Amino acid sequence: MVLSLIFSAARLSYAAGSLSRSFAMLALSCLWTTWSLVLFGGVNQHFLRLAAISILSLHTAASLMTSTFTKFWMFFSLTIEVNAVALIIKVFDSNTTYITLVTSLIVGITGLYGALSNILYETVGEDVLPQGTPIIQQRKPEEPYMPCPALPSRKTEAIYKAAEYLNEGHVIGAPTDTVYGLIASCKHPESISAIYHIKGRPPEKPICLCVSDIDQIKYANPPFSDLLWTFMHLCYPGGITCVVHKGDWLRRIGVGDAIDYVGTKDSVAIRVPDSTVLSYLLSISGPVALTSANPSGEVDSTHHDMVIDRLGHKVAAVVCDDESHEIVPSTVVNCTKIDEGTITFFRIGCVPQDVVEALFERAKAIKNSKSTDLKFNSISLNK
């Protein structure tokens, strides 16, 4: 049982990243095994002499490492070292009637003190039975400089913090279903203007509107045709951005005064990303202005490190989600003339043109099928 506890302690020490503590515990387990064989195993002691000396040397090396542990560890290691010397004496057939007993008692008392000290610390939260500071202090590695907070995407607390930055009018970097983007809340139009300065983006290039799901758009009740609604349902969520006509309906989804800051005078590009992280963030913060997180004219950011390195000193924070799902941005489709049976492309991105055109043909087929069903039902009713 004692051996299993020591091996468990060695494994936990290794898992915690302390190789020196793990080595010390392994040396102790070897020492304990040899001691057990001598006292209880009935093994010829002459065969254990070499092992005893080797184990003593191994534990001596482990004892030297305890100078970086607490003072209690050093004292405990010293008592075991004395106990190991007693083992050597016994192996060489010397009279050790009292040496082994005394050294064993010292080890037991010291170990009991250490166990009680740790139990009380975990219970009370203070060093009731102090163990002392290390004689040799290990130098802690310097943490890398971060120009802005890095918020882990897998923590809800971090997403709420990101939403807090947006609600305060800051610009942050965030993952999307394509490349990393810069986002600013529509509640603060001035933060959308800040995106242009952060990126060095030409003012004539519009910024798209990003919402968490298509139901947010439906809630605003825009004057979209059945064909446009059908096409958008096929495109969203995903790597397709639809450009539609502007209108007061944008105010009803929370765009507010930012209506003049997204899109152009007559149209606006709408993104509904297929990203759990970004959708959750937008469900908290509301609609945002979105553009790629890279200095204008440079390659897109496909990892949060790229955003931090290039724009970290200009943004409030970056939501970190490792590698992007795509290496190119979304495909931007002009849907302003969709009711005339035409769509065009502002940019071919992660979704190929033929895929988008196939979706458009499917949308027309669905609309025509509904129209046929409606006419058939109307004829049936007239009869």
Side-chain angles (χ1 to χ4, degrees), residues 52-347:
I53 296 173
S54 301
I55 296 302
L56 179 62
S57 302
L58 182 67
H59 189 268
T60 301
S63 298
L64 295 176
M65 294 181 181
T66 60
S67 59
T68 60
F69 302 169
T70 62
K71 289 185 175 68
F72 165 77
W73 262 95
M74 291 188 64
F75 181 74
F76 181 60
S77 180
L78 179 62
T79 61
I80 296 176
E81 188 79 2
V82 174
N83 199 222
V85 172
L87 172 62
I88 294 291
I89 296 173
K90 183 173 181 62
V91 165
F92 281 88
D93 296 325
S94 299
N95 185 4
T96 59
T97 304
Y98 297 105
I99 293 180
T100 54
L101 177 61
V102 171
T103 55
S104 296
L105 285 173
I106 294 174
V107 171
I109 294 170
T110 307
L112 180 61
Y113 177 91
L116 286 174
S117 175
N118 283 284
I119 291 172
L120 289 173
Y121 179 80
E122 294 296 331
T123 304
V124 181
E126 297 181 1
D127 284 324
V128 179
L129 298 176
Q131 297 189 21
T133 57
I135 293 178
I136 300 178
Q137 298 285 343
Q138 291 181 327
R139 188 172 64 180
K140 295 182 179 179
E142 294 182 1
E143 294 184 0
Y145 168 72
M146 295 293 287
C148 67
L151 307 175
S153 64
R154 293 171 180 81
K155 290 192 174 183
T156 302
E157 181 184 6
I159 301 302
Y160 273 98
K161 185 63 178 177
E164 184 179 326
Y165 280 120
L166 292 173
N167 292 333
E168 291 174 353
H170 298 292
V171 177
I172 67 171
T176 71
D177 52 345
T178 56
V179 295
Y180 273 79
L182 293 178
I183 60 176
S185 174
C186 291
K187 300 172 186 174
H188 299 276
E190 68 280 1
S191 66
I192 301 176
S193 297
I195 290 180
Y196 284 91
H197 298 290
I198 291 172
K199 285 192 55 155
R201 186 180 179 87
E204 64 272 10
K205 286 190 174 183
I207 293 179
C208 77
L209 175 69
C210 186
V211 295
S212 62
D213 57 63
I214 197 170
D215 288 336
Q216 278 190 297
I217 306 172
K218 283 184 175 180
Y219 176 79
N221 194 27
F224 293 167
S225 65
D226 289 341
L227 178 59
L228 178 54
W229 276 123
T230 304
F231 181 65
M232 291 174 72
H233 270 287
L234 295 174
C235 293
Y236 296 148
I240 298 175
T241 301
C242 294
V243 178
V244 299
H245 288 293
K246 260 187 174 180
D248 287 338
W249 59 272
L250 285 169
R251 298 184 186 276
R252 294 193 290 271
I253 62 174
V255 175
D257 294 336
I259 190 170
D260 296 326
Y261 291 79
V262 291
T264 64
K265 181 181 178 181
D266 302 314
S267 63
V268 62
I270 299 178
R271 273 277 271 138
V272 181
D274 189 14
S275 166
T276 303
V277 174
L278 187 54
S279 294
Y280 183 49
L281 176 57
L282 298 186
S283 69
I284 302 171
S285 68
V288 298
L290 168 69
T291 185
S292 56
N294 59 288
S296 187
E298 296 187 15
V299 296
D300 296 306
S301 298
T302 56
H303 194 281
H304 60 255
D305 285 341
M306 295 178 67
V307 184
I308 294 172
D309 290 342
R310 299 196 288 178
L311 300 174
H313 59 293
K314 295 182 178 181
V315 298
V318 174
V319 179
C320 301
D321 197 43
D322 298 324
E323 291 285 348
S324 295
H325 300 290
E326 299 285 349
I327 59 173
V328 291
S330 65
T331 297
V332 183
V333 184
N334 183 7
C335 301
T336 56
K337 295 183 178 180
I338 193 170
D339 294 329
E340 300 174 15
T342 303
I343 59 170
T344 54
F345 294 85
F346 287 114
R347 179 181 70 200

